[in-house]
């Protein structure tokens, strides 16, 4: 006990000795009596720490709540799974009664289990799109749908009434978002034969679209991907098709000045080849003393038709071996020189 200098008056005729012991004040009467302790009289940091340590050691343990068993242990065998995963949600290990493992195996072991597995939470899942759930969705949407038209019973009729075909692709990817940037791409296809265009409009449209038109299938393909949303790319594709259609019907002033070399494809009618062939045949008939032959009869003859087809193929398709052979045979028949090799 470390005494403190001085004394205090405790009462009439009674003196108490003031001392400090372990941060507490001890008061003892001079003429007997029981000693007692009070709160710390001196603000000692060391004493406060010791007192707090004493209180912690004497504290009663708090109530610890026990963990409930996971939902998978309480699930019935015939439980409605659509009530567990009604909509798209992250993976819940306590709700999926499957021993799923995913992740990198540590020390040549097995992948980590589903409990606390972040790899299973990061990726999207299709637990809400089970076959029974899809059937429920279809049954709910059936009241808002209309029956398929009975007149559209074949692909040809569908193509006739709905000539424009729209193609989009949905992607399933493992990432932070379920939206893939490539899903915005929209492809529009239509056959030019299904569009109401004359020969001039069709040729001008083919010239405007360039490589987007396939001559073998008569199909025009427009792909749009410059807008961030799929709906925007769809609207932009329809806008492009509309503009191309109306622009192809316009006839500019310079189009009337086009010559045979400026044409998109070779045309036999009123061409120099047709005129030369008719002049040659008329001279041949005149040398044979045949004067009652008209140009229409010569153009309708089989010899001139073969020559027309061979010249048109040679001009439009190029100088292939087959085209050159057909052109050779047609010229020999036209000039009546079959005896030559």
């Amino acid at each position: 006990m470390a005494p403190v200098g001085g004394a205090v008056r405790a009462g009439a005729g009674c003196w108490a000795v003031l001392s400090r012991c372990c941060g507490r004040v001890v008061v003892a009467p001079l003429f007997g009596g029981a000693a007692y302790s009070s709160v710390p009289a001196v603000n000692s940091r060391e004493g406060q720490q010791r007192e707090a340590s004493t209180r912690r050691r004497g504290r009663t343990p708090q109530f610890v709540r026990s963990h409930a068993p996971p939902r998978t242990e309480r699930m019935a065998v015939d439980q409605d799974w659509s009530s567990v995963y009604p909509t798209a949600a992250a993976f819940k290990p306590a709700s999926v009664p499957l021993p799923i493992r995913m992740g990198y195996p540590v020390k040549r072991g097995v992948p980590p289990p589903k409990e606390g597995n972040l790899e299973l939470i990061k990726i999207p899942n299709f637990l809400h799109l089970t076959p029974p759930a899809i059937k429920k969705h279809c049954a709910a949407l059936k009241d808002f749908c209309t029956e398929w038209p009975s007149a559209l019973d074949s692909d040809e009729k569908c193509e006739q009434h709905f000539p424009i075909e729209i193609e989009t692709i949905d992607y399933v990817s493992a990432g932070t978002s379920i939206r893939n940037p490539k899903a915005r791409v929209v492809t529009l296809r239509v056959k030019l034969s299904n569009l109401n265009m004359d020969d001039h409009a069709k040729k001008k449209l083919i010239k405007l679209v360039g490589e987007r038109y396939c001559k073998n299938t008569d199909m025009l393909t427009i792909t749009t991907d410059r807008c961030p949303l799929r709906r925007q790319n769809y609207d932009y594709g329809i806008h492009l098709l509309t503009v191309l259609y109306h622009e192809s019907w316009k006839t500019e002033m310079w189009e009337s000045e086009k010559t045979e070399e400026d044409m998109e494809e070779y045309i036999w009618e009123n061409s120099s080849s047709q005129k030369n062939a008719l002049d040659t045949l008329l001279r041949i008939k005149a040398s044979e003393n045949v004067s009652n032959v008209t140009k229409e009869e010569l153009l309708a003859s089989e010899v001139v038709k073969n020559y027309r087809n061979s010249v048109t193929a040679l001009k439009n398709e190029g100088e292939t071996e087959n085209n050159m052979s057909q052109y050779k045979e047609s010229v020999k028949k036209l000039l009546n020189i079959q005896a030559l090799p």
Side-chain angles (χ1 to χ4, degrees):
M1 180 181 297
V4 179
V8 295
R9 183 81 177 254
C14 181
W15 290 88
V17 179
L18 181 62
S19 64
R20 183 175 63 193
C21 179
C22 296
R24 294 180 180 275
V25 178
V26 179
V27 180
L30 294 176
F31 303 101
Y36 65 92
S37 300
S38 65
V39 295
V42 180
N43 188 12
S44 174
R45 186 174 182 180
E46 180 181 358
Q48 291 177 356
Q49 292 177 351
R50 291 180 180 177
E51 184 180 2
S53 176
T54 303
R55 287 199 301 267
R56 285 196 299 269
R57 287 195 298 267
R59 184 176 58 185
T60 57
Q62 295 182 355
F63 174 74
V64 180
R65 186 174 64 178
S66 60
H67 295 283
R71 186 178 180 181
T72 55
E73 298 181 3
R74 296 180 282 109
M75 284 184 176
V77 179
D78 56 348
Q79 180 175 353
D80 184 16
W81 181 252
S82 60
S83 61
V84 180
Y85 268 87
T87 58
F91 182 80
K92 303 172 185 178
S95 302
V96 181
L98 300 173
I100 302 176
R101 292 179 175 269
M102 185 176 181
Y104 184 78
V106 182
K107 295 181 181 180
R108 298 183 180 180
V110 296
K114 62 181 180 179
E115 289 79 7
N117 196 325
L118 296 179
E119 299 297 330
L120 290 171
I121 300 176
K122 289 190 295 184
I123 62 174
N125 59 74
F126 292 92
L127 296 173
H128 62 291
L129 294 178
T130 56
I134 295 176
K135 289 182 179 180
K136 286 186 176 181
H137 292 172
C138 295
L141 295 174
K142 189 175 182 179
D143 298 336
F144 303 95
C145 299
T146 57
E147 296 183 359
W148 184 262
S150 58
L152 301 177
D153 53 357
S154 63
D155 295 339
E156 291 75 13
K157 293 182 179 180
C158 293
E159 183 179 349
Q160 178 184 359
H161 295 282
F162 301 95
I164 301 177
E165 177 183 350
I166 304 296
E167 178 182 341
T168 58
I169 302 177
D170 294 321
Y171 293 87
V172 179
S173 58
T176 56
S177 176
I178 60 175
R179 295 171 179 84
N180 194 294
K182 294 186 291 185
R184 73 184 192 280
V185 181
V186 176
T187 303
L188 184 147
R189 295 188 181 91
V190 60
K191 285 188 176 181
L192 295 189
S193 58
N194 295 329
L195 301 180
N196 184 20
M197 294 188 298
D198 58 4
D199 185 68
H200 166 265
K202 182 178 180 180
K203 291 179 180 178
K204 189 172 182 179
L205 180 63
I206 294 174
K207 198 71 173 180
L208 291 173
V209 298
E211 298 180 354
R212 297 176 181 86
Y213 173 72
C214 179
K215 186 176 181 180
N216 298 330
T217 59
D218 192 36
M219 186 71 69
L220 171 62
T221 304
I222 299 176
T223 302
T224 55
D225 59 350
R226 62 177 56 189
C227 299
L229 299 180
R230 176 184 294 179
R231 180 65 186 182
Q232 295 174 340
N233 286 316
Y234 168 78
D235 295 338
Y236 181 58
I238 297 297
H239 169 71
L240 288 179
L241 180 62
T242 305
V243 172
L244 288 171
Y245 178 80
H246 291 287
E247 285 293 327
S248 62
W249 276 97
K250 293 181 180 179
T251 303
E252 305 294 341
M253 295 180 59
W254 53 266
E255 294 186 35
S256 59
E257 302 175 358
K258 293 172 62 175
T259 60
E260 185 177 344
E261 291 77 11
D262 300 327
M263 296 298 178
E264 292 79 10
E265 63 180 4
Y266 179 78
I267 301 176
W268 167 261
E269 287 74 13
N270 300 325
S271 62
S272 58
S273 298
Q274 181 187 24
K275 295 177 181 178
N276 295 334
L278 289 176
D279 293 342
T280 303
L281 290 176
L282 288 175
R283 288 198 300 267
I284 293 175
K285 296 298 181 181
S287 63
E288 296 177 355
N289 297 324
V290 178
S291 59
N292 57 350
V293 179
T294 61
K295 293 184 179 181
E296 290 74 13
E297 293 178 354
L298 293 176
L299 292 175
S301 61
E302 190 69 23
V303 176
V304 177
K305 288 183 179 180
N306 292 336
Y307 179 73
R308 180 193 62 184
N309 296 336
S310 61
V311 172
T312 303
L314 186 63
K315 294 285 188 178
N316 294 332
E317 300 177 7
E319 297 181 358
T320 62
E321 184 177 357
N322 185 27
N323 292 339
M324 294 297 294
S325 177
Q326 291 181 359
Y327 178 72
K328 176 183 175 181
E329 296 297 330
S330 63
V331 171
K332 290 166 62 177
K333 292 180 180 179
L334 182 67
L335 301 178
N336 197 13
I337 49 178
Q338 298 289 335
L340 296 177

